[in-house]
Amino acid sequence: MTDDWRNDRIGSALRGENPTVLRRLAAGFAVIGDVQFLPGYSVLLVDDPAVQRLSELARGKRLAFLSDMERLGEAVERACKRLDPAFRRVNLEILGNADPFLHAHVWPRFDWEPADLVRRPVWLYPRERWSDERYALGPQHDALREVIGEELDGLAS
């Protein structure tokens, strides 16, 4: 599979071609992040690529998106607690500054993070972390993907 899905993350998810999709949720797609310098980093993508802001969704769909965000956040929290005793918490963010579609970031945070960053926004990490191949999503993250998926499934009932 090529990386063409990166140019149309939502469309490729709708077509079943986005390899980062963990689960289809009520108002979007739970996906694992392209970079994993904080293992478990995930994103909730809205299921309509034309939607840029939360306020563009009808009230019911808006609440469903926020509920999906909470569910993905809890799934990442549970998965990270299971896999890493140094897990601290999860940060949830809807920013909308770079990508032109509604999405929410789910960032797990850990006690082993550098002291100058552990209590600061993830966006302050050095740019190299975002492009270093050591942190690129790959087969080494399959077990993490599976555990997050299991937690999402468990939270569905």
Side-chain angles (χ1 to χ4, degrees), residues 110-127:
F110 301 90
D111 287 331
W112 49 254
E113 291 180 61
D116 61 329
L117 294 170
V118 70
R119 298 183 191 279
R120 314 267 329 265
V122 170
W123 309 104
L124 296 178
Y125 266 86
R127 295 303 324 154

Side-chain angles (χ1 to χ4, degrees), residues 63-146:
L63 294 174
F65 184 84
L66 292 171
S67 179
D68 286 350
M69 181 177 74
E70 178 276 329
R71 181 173 159 204
L72 178 57
E74 186 171 352
V76 169
E77 179 177 324
R78 289 179 176 197
C80 290
K81 275 185 190 177
R82 282 172 54 185
L83 298 172
D84 190 337
F87 171 76
R88 286 176 66 98
R89 66 176 353 104
V90 164
N91 294 154
L92 303 172
E93 302 176 321
I94 298 176
L95 300 172
N97 297 326
D99 293 314
F101 50 85
L102 176 62
H103 61 287
H105 299 273
V106 178
W107 287 105
R109 304 303 301 264
F110 301 90
D111 287 331
W112 49 254
E113 291 180 61
D116 61 329
L117 294 170
V118 70
R119 298 183 191 279
R120 314 267 329 265
V122 170
W123 309 104
L124 296 178
Y125 266 86
R127 295 303 324 154
E128 307 83 63
R129 293 281 180 116
W130 303 86
S131 56
D132 189 325
E133 284 300 313
R134 289 180 300 166
Y135 304 115
L137 180 64
Q140 69 274 25
H141 300 106
D142 287 350
L144 179 59
R145 292 173 66 118
E146 185 175 327

